[in-house]
């Protein structure tokens, strides 16, 4: 409800993630912002995630190119649902160890 909010979900951001920002001096002040270059990783992202029961997740899990099935399978970073650039029907799961692929949804 804060007028300073820029987003409601990460899909509202041109790049990067929508994060819940918290005021440094007053923790009750909160707003949502697009973290386009991952400068604010200490603020929690708004959870736009792929549920493990979704059809996209099931298809990706069956792909031999998949590296993970949950975040715990990754040594660091998040397990994300990747989508083919040339063929949007191609899905796989990868460990995004340095947050290079924030436009792909994490698994929840």
């Amino acid at each position: 409800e804060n007028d300073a909010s820029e987003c409601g979900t990460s899909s509202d951001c041109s790049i990067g993630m929508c994060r819940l920002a918290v005021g440094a001096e007053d923790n009750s002040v909160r707003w949502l912002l697009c973290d386009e270059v991952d400068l604010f990783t200490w603020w929690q992202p708004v959870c736009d995630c792929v549920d493990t029961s979704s059809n996209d997740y099931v298809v990706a899990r069956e792909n031999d190119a998949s590296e993970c099935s949950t975040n715990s399978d990754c040594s660091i970073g998040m397990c994300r649902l990747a989508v083919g650039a040339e063929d949007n029907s191609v899905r796989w799961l990868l460990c995004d160890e340095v947050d290079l692929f924030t436009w792909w949804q994490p698994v929840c």
Side-chain angles (χ1 to χ4, degrees):
E1 295 181 21
N2 187 324
D3 290 337
S5 291
E6 302 173 344
C7 53
T9 67
S10 291
S11 60
D12 295 334
C13 301
S14 57
I15 57 173
M17 301 181 92
C18 183
R19 294 189 184 274
L20 175 62
V22 180
E25 295 178 17
D26 181 356
N27 287 342
S28 68
V29 176
R30 297 171 187 271
W31 69 100
L32 298 168
L33 65 90
C34 290
D35 186 9
E36 296 178 348
V37 291
D38 279 340
L39 288 176
F40 306 106
T41 56
W42 58 87
W43 285 333
Q44 180 178 349
V46 174
C47 189
D48 296 334
C49 60
V50 176
D51 191 273
T52 56
S53 64
S54 75
N55 186 52
D56 284 341
Y57 175 83
V58 172
V59 168
R61 183 124 190 244
E62 292 172 353
N63 187 330
D64 291 337
S66 288
E67 302 173 348
C68 55
S69 56
T70 66
N71 290 332
S72 62
D73 294 333
C74 301
S75 57
I76 57 173
M78 302 177 101
C79 182
R80 294 187 183 274
L81 175 70
V83 179
E86 294 178 17
D87 182 353
N88 286 343
S89 67
V90 176
R91 306 269 194 269
W92 71 99
L93 298 163
L94 65 86
C95 289
D96 186 10
E97 296 180 347
V98 290
D99 276 341
L100 288 177
F101 305 106
T102 56
W103 56 87
W104 285 332
Q105 293 178 311
V107 173
C108 54

